[in-house]
Amino acid sequence: MADKSNYLTTGQMAKRTGLTVRTLRYYDQIGLLSPSQNVDPSKRMYSKQDMIRLQKIQTLKYIGLSLQEITKLLNDSSLLEQDLRSSLALQKEIMLQKTAHMKYVVRAISEAMDLLDEQKADVDWGGLADLIQIVHTEKDWAEQYLTAYRLQARIELYDKFSVNTIGWHHWFFEHLRNQPDLKILELGCGNGTLWARNINRIPESWNITLTDLSAGMLDEARKHIDESDNRFKYLIADAQSIPFHNEQFDIVIANHMLYHVSDIPKALSEIYRVMKSDAVLYASTMSKSHLREIEHIANAFDPHIQVLDPVMERFEFDNGTDMLEGLFSEIKLIRYEDEMIVDQIQPLLNYITSTPMNARSILTGVKLEKFKSFLQAILDRDGSIHISKDTGFFQVNKKA
């Protein structure tokens, strides 16, 4: 029989957490949080793992998710495999994103109030419409939680098991032109990690414009980079219709994003247009061999499983030169030398179920447990799993 000292009754759980017994019983009724231990026939008891799940529930509830959304999220088998530290780190990240968005909305409201004071009259229709749009950009936090989890899973795999200790973002930054007074445009900046990880190396005279199609991503970039840093501007923009005049930028960066653009030639034409005559484009991507072993392992277990997103094949090492040479000159492909040596199952499994392909829908229940055993057998036999990384960037000049 289990040691009762390691478990809590419903009343004890309520007292420890400040929740009511009624709330805990309702969570049990809807399948959100059920006591996991039957210590004796008359009592169902909560374990430490139940407490961890409850903590996650309350955080997700705080950021605005419904109980239905939380139930769906926490019943995702891959999310349940996080250790407590990883789970808390993810929750912290989401809370910071929520805070950054709220600050952005508060600033927009303050600016509207200031405008009213200046005009001594009603704000115009356009101003009201803009304010409504800003407030309406509140994210789908359930989806954002999943997105953040999946990004965390990928970063964890890279950070834990990559052989190259320099790191992609430091390495990539070192290859940028290092001159004063540069005007730089990044398309599809994502969460701004490139700049956040190199913030102390950026010259004070640089003028950097970060753009993304997603207002949420720009919120994250503002959070990762000090919002008061006047070297940076943030703008929602589509790479296929860049909202700048001709020949404005010394550097344009498209960091692992061109393969997502629906009309790549149009985006390249727009990039060419906004580049100065002596400007440089840095367009990073990967080869078809990047992480290929992960796909092979999954297929060896079940040929129907897909892990890697084929979208990257739209702009990769083999076809990138052909797509660039019509507009640009001196096209150089510079590779980042790296690989991963993986000796733990869970980070690899988290990565496999984090991609937008079908792995996470197939690897559930009994099949997930069988796949874990399959991975463990490989580690027991070989000691580790070697995974190729083949990334880099095209460095190109504007053709005269």
Side-chain angles (χ1 to χ4, degrees), residues 123-151:
V123 68
D124 62 20
W125 287 100
L128 276 176
D130 290 344
L131 182 56
I132 291 169
Q133 187 175 28
I134 289 169
V135 174
H136 187 63
T137 58
E138 177 75 8
K139 300 178 203 175
D140 178 347
W141 290 103
E143 183 59 34
Q144 187 64 21
Y145 184 83
L146 280 173
T147 299
Y149 163 73
R150 290 163 187 161
L151 179 60

Coordinates of all heavy atoms in Angstrom, one line a residue, residues 123-151:
V123 N -11.9 61.8 -30.7 CA -10.9 61.2 -31.5 C -11.6 60.8 -32.8 O -12.8 60.4 -32.8 CB -10.2 59.9 -30.9 CG1 -11.3 58.8 -30.7 CG2 -9.0 59.4 -31.6
D124 N -10.9 60.8 -34.0 CA -11.5 60.5 -35.2 C -11.8 59.0 -35.4 O -11.3 58.2 -34.6 CB -10.7 61.1 -36.4 CG -9.3 60.4 -36.5 OD1 -9.1 59.3 -35.9 OD2 -8.4 61.0 -37.1
W125 N -12.6 58.7 -36.4 CA -12.9 57.3 -36.7 C -11.7 56.4 -36.9 O -11.6 55.3 -36.4 CB -13.8 57.2 -37.9 CG -15.2 57.7 -37.7 CD1 -15.7 58.9 -38.0 CD2 -16.2 57.0 -37.1 NE1 -17.0 59.0 -37.7 CE2 -17.4 57.9 -37.1 CE3 -16.4 55.7 -36.5 CZ2 -18.6 57.5 -36.5 CZ3 -17.6 55.4 -36.0 CH2 -18.7 56.2 -36.0
G126 N -10.7 57.0 -37.6 CA -9.5 56.2 -37.8 C -8.7 55.8 -36.6 O -8.3 54.7 -36.4
G127 N -8.7 56.8 -35.6 CA -8.0 56.6 -34.4 C -8.7 55.5 -33.6 O -8.0 54.6 -33.0
L128 N -10.0 55.5 -33.5 CA -10.8 54.5 -32.8 C -10.6 53.2 -33.5 O -10.4 52.1 -32.8 CB -12.3 54.9 -32.8 CG -12.7 55.9 -31.7 CD1 -14.2 56.2 -31.9 CD2 -12.5 55.3 -30.3
A129 N -10.6 53.1 -34.8 CA -10.5 51.8 -35.5 C -9.1 51.2 -35.2 O -9.0 50.0 -35.0 CB -10.6 52.1 -37.0
D130 N -8.0 52.1 -35.2 CA -6.7 51.6 -34.9 C -6.6 51.0 -33.5 O -6.0 50.0 -33.2 CB -5.7 52.7 -35.1 CG -5.5 53.1 -36.5 OD1 -5.9 52.4 -37.4 OD2 -4.9 54.2 -36.7
L131 N -7.3 51.7 -32.5 CA -7.2 51.3 -31.1 C -7.9 49.9 -31.0 O -7.5 49.0 -30.3 CB -7.9 52.3 -30.2 CG -7.9 52.0 -28.7 CD1 -6.5 51.8 -28.2 CD2 -8.5 53.2 -28.0
I132 N -9.1 49.8 -31.7 CA -9.8 48.5 -31.6 C -9.0 47.4 -32.2 O -8.9 46.3 -31.6 CB -11.1 48.7 -32.4 CG1 -12.1 49.6 -31.6 CG2 -11.8 47.3 -32.6 CD1 -13.3 50.0 -32.4
Q133 N -8.3 47.7 -33.3 CA -7.4 46.7 -33.9 C -6.3 46.2 -33.0 O -6.0 45.0 -32.9 CB -6.9 47.2 -35.2 CG -6.1 46.1 -36.0 CD -5.7 46.6 -37.4 OE1 -5.4 47.8 -37.5 NE2 -5.5 45.7 -38.3
I134 N -5.7 47.2 -32.3 CA -4.6 46.9 -31.4 C -5.1 46.0 -30.2 O -4.5 45.0 -29.9 CB -4.0 48.1 -30.8 CG1 -3.2 48.8 -31.9 CG2 -3.0 47.8 -29.6 CD1 -2.7 50.2 -31.6
V135 N -6.2 46.3 -29.6 CA -6.8 45.5 -28.5 C -7.2 44.2 -29.1 O -7.0 43.1 -28.4 CB -8.0 46.3 -27.9 CG1 -8.7 45.4 -26.9 CG2 -7.6 47.6 -27.3
H136 N -7.7 44.1 -30.3 CA -8.2 42.9 -30.9 C -7.1 41.9 -31.2 O -7.3 40.7 -31.4 CB -9.0 43.1 -32.1 CG -9.7 41.9 -32.7 ND1 -10.7 41.2 -32.0 CD2 -9.6 41.3 -33.9 CE1 -11.1 40.2 -32.7 NE2 -10.4 40.2 -33.9
T137 N -5.8 42.4 -31.2 CA -4.7 41.5 -31.5 C -4.3 40.5 -30.4 O -3.4 39.8 -30.4 CB -3.4 42.3 -31.9 OG1 -3.0 43.1 -30.8 CG2 -3.6 43.1 -33.2
E138 N -5.2 40.6 -29.3 CA -5.0 39.6 -28.2 C -4.9 38.2 -28.8 O -5.7 37.8 -29.6 CB -6.1 39.7 -27.2 CG -6.1 38.7 -26.1 CD -5.1 39.1 -25.0 OE1 -4.5 40.2 -25.1 OE2 -4.9 38.2 -24.1
K139 N -3.9 37.5 -28.4 CA -3.6 36.2 -29.0 C -4.6 35.1 -28.5 O -5.2 35.2 -27.5 CB -2.2 35.7 -28.6 CG -1.1 36.7 -29.1 CD 0.2 36.1 -28.6 CE 1.3 37.2 -28.5 NZ 2.5 36.7 -27.9
D140 N -4.6 34.0 -29.3 CA -5.2 32.8 -28.9 C -4.2 32.1 -28.0 O -3.3 31.5 -28.4 CB -5.6 31.9 -30.1 CG -6.2 30.6 -29.7 OD1 -6.1 30.2 -28.5 OD2 -6.7 29.9 -30.6
W141 N -4.4 32.3 -26.6 CA -3.4 31.9 -25.7 C -3.3 30.3 -25.6 O -2.2 29.8 -25.3 CB -3.6 32.5 -24.3 CG -3.3 34.0 -24.4 CD1 -4.3 35.0 -24.4 CD2 -2.1 34.6 -24.5 NE1 -3.6 36.2 -24.5 CE2 -2.3 36.0 -24.5 CE3 -0.7 34.1 -24.5 CZ2 -1.2 36.9 -24.6 CZ3 0.3 35.0 -24.5 CH2 0.0 36.4 -24.6
A142 N -4.3 29.6 -25.9 CA -4.2 28.2 -26.0 C -3.3 27.7 -27.1 O -2.4 26.9 -26.9 CB -5.6 27.5 -26.2
E143 N -3.5 28.3 -28.2 CA -2.6 28.0 -29.4 C -1.2 28.5 -29.1 O -0.2 27.9 -29.4 CB -3.1 28.6 -30.7 CG -2.3 28.3 -31.9 CD -2.1 26.8 -32.2 OE1 -3.1 26.1 -31.9 OE2 -1.1 26.4 -32.6
Q144 N -1.1 29.7 -28.4 CA 0.2 30.3 -28.1 C 1.0 29.4 -27.1 O 2.2 29.2 -27.2 CB 0.1 31.7 -27.5 CG 1.4 32.4 -27.3 CD 2.1 32.7 -28.6 OE1 1.5 32.7 -29.6 NE2 3.4 32.9 -28.5
Y145 N 0.3 28.8 -26.2 CA 0.9 27.9 -25.2 C 1.5 26.7 -26.0 O 2.6 26.2 -25.7 CB -0.1 27.4 -24.2 CG 0.5 26.5 -23.1 CD1 1.1 27.1 -22.0 CD2 0.3 25.2 -23.1 CE1 1.6 26.3 -21.0 CE2 0.9 24.4 -22.2 CZ 1.5 24.9 -21.1 OH 2.0 24.2 -20.1
L146 N 0.7 26.1 -26.9 CA 1.2 25.0 -27.7 C 2.3 25.4 -28.5 O 3.3 24.6 -28.6 CB 0.0 24.4 -28.6 CG -1.0 23.5 -27.9 CD1 -2.1 23.2 -28.9 CD2 -0.3 22.2 -27.4
T147 N 2.3 26.6 -29.1 CA 3.3 27.0 -30.0 C 4.6 27.2 -29.2 O 5.7 26.8 -29.6 CB 3.0 28.4 -30.7 OG1 1.8 28.1 -31.5 CG2 4.1 28.9 -31.5
A148 N 4.5 27.8 -28.0 CA 5.6 28.0 -27.1 C 6.2 26.7 -26.7 O 7.4 26.5 -26.6 CB 5.2 28.9 -25.9
Y149 N 5.3 25.8 -26.3 CA 5.8 24.4 -25.9 C 6.6 23.8 -27.0 O 7.7 23.2 -26.8 CB 4.7 23.5 -25.5 CG 5.1 22.1 -25.5 CD1 5.9 21.6 -24.5 CD2 4.7 21.2 -26.5 CE1 6.3 20.3 -24.5 CE2 5.2 19.9 -26.5 CZ 6.0 19.4 -25.5 OH 6.4 18.2 -25.5
R150 N 6.1 23.9 -28.2 CA 6.7 23.2 -29.3 C 8.1 23.9 -29.7 O 9.1 23.2 -30.0 CB 5.8 23.2 -30.6 CG 4.6 22.2 -30.3 CD 3.5 22.4 -31.3 NE 2.3 21.6 -30.9 CZ 1.1 21.8 -31.2 NH1 0.8 22.8 -32.0 NH2 0.1 20.9 -30.8
L151 N 8.1 25.2 -29.6 CA 9.4 25.9 -29.8 C 10.4 25.5 -28.7 O 11.5 25.3 -29.0 CB 9.1 27.4 -29.8 CG 10.4 28.3 -30.0 CD1 11.0 28.0 -31.3 CD2 10.0 29.8 -29.9

